[in-house]
Amino acid sequence: MSTQETDSIGVVRAALNRDLINEMVWKARAQDGLKPAAVLFPIYRKEGEWRVLLTQRTEHLRHHSGQISFPGGAFEHQDKNIRATALRETTEEVGIIESQIQILGHLDDEFSISRFRVTPFVGRLEDDFDYKISTDEVASVFGVPLAFFTDESNRQVQYYKSGEERHKFYVFQYKKHTIWGLTAKIIVQLVDRIKRDQL
């Protein structure tokens, strides 16, 4: 591993939470009437740059059909904890097994409009990782350079109204892919943490 590569992954790692998650969330007990869930924010090295692995969900899914997302889903009772949820879902959706993933840390929980409390874990994929998508859940996978997201000119800010309240959301347009909603919010959280640490 080159010095530049080590420094790059160190910047990401430094931006993450690495303490133990609050036990209530770590063990994935529901809080505030929300359903516990987790996603993996997978990063990997290819052709000299860091990339983010994303999936496009199939059109027939109940939640967020057709959208761009991270591998992940709801906590299930066989999961030891919410971290295990992220790893299990990644294996189920894109066939990447736990031994190919190095968990670097986690981000603050985000909340979805479908009433999930989502814990994002950031994980580095091994250079020789392999994937096999589950066509029931995933239509395709693709990589986006991390530098695309750290370039603020690629971040659009839009608004929607719910009743009397005005809410902000983020949109990234990468080639034919529109990345928005919870996925974009998680990406922005990591990018803003990295930029804050570099000040």
Side-chain angles (χ1 to χ4, degrees):
M1 184 182 296
S2 69
T3 303
Q4 183 179 1
E5 184 176 351
T6 304
D7 291 346
S8 299
I9 202 71
V11 167
V12 172
R13 191 194 304 268
L16 300 174
N17 304 327
R18 293 190 302 280
D19 55 315
L20 284 179
I21 299 175
N22 176 285
E23 278 295 302
M24 291 291 286
V25 182
W26 185 256
K27 293 184 177 177
R29 298 171 186 159
Q31 293 184 344
D32 306 323
L34 300 172
K35 295 167 282 189
V39 298
L40 182 73
F41 188 138
I43 60 174
Y44 63 101
R45 189 98 173 150
K46 185 175 181 181
E47 297 174 355
E49 66 179 359
W50 289 102
R51 300 188 185 186
V52 179
L53 187 74
L54 294 168
T55 72
Q56 179 159 17
R57 295 166 65 83
T58 56
E59 294 290 345
H60 65 268
L61 292 175
R62 180 179 176 186
H63 296 295
H64 313 294
S65 60
Q67 291 187 14
I68 305 304
S69 67
F70 292 114
F75 170 79
E76 295 182 3
H77 292 296
Q78 73 267 25
D79 296 335
K80 180 181 178 182
N81 50 44
I82 200 67
R83 178 178 181 272
T85 301
L87 293 168
R88 173 183 56 76
E89 287 281 352
T90 299
T91 300
E92 290 179 2
E93 291 183 13
V94 293
I96 301 173
I97 59 176
E98 184 174 349
S99 62
Q100 294 181 306
I101 304 166
Q102 177 192 6
I103 296 293
L104 303 175
H106 61 93
L107 295 164
D108 294 340
D109 292 347
E110 299 285 3
F111 304 92
S112 75
I113 58 173
S114 46
R115 298 195 58 76
F116 283 95
R117 181 189 189 109
V118 181
T119 305
F121 290 88
V122 178
R124 181 192 172 175
L125 305 181
E126 293 293 326
D127 291 343
D128 60 349
F129 80 92
D130 195 15
Y131 69 88
K132 182 179 181 181
I133 64 173
S134 167
T135 54
D136 289 339
E137 297 182 75
V138 177
S140 63
V141 300
F142 61 99
V144 181
L146 182 59
F148 173 83
F149 295 120
T150 58
D151 182 348
E152 289 200 26
S153 68
N154 294 321
R155 182 194 302 187
Q156 303 172 40
V157 179
Q158 299 185 20
Y159 296 88
Y160 71 93
K161 284 194 73 173
S162 177
E164 295 300 314
E165 295 185 355
R166 188 168 179 254
H167 301 275
K168 178 172 71 174
F169 66 98
Y170 301 104
V171 180
F172 296 94
Q173 187 65 46
Y174 180 73
K175 298 182 179 179
K176 65 179 181 179
H177 302 291
T178 302
I179 304 161
W180 67 288
L182 185 66
T183 302
K185 193 175 181 183
I186 291 169
I187 291 168
V188 167
Q189 185 188 158
L190 177 60
V191 168
D192 285 354
R193 281 169 169 247
I194 291 171
K195 290 182 179 294
R196 177 199 64 197
D197 288 352
Q198 291 177 334
L199 293 177

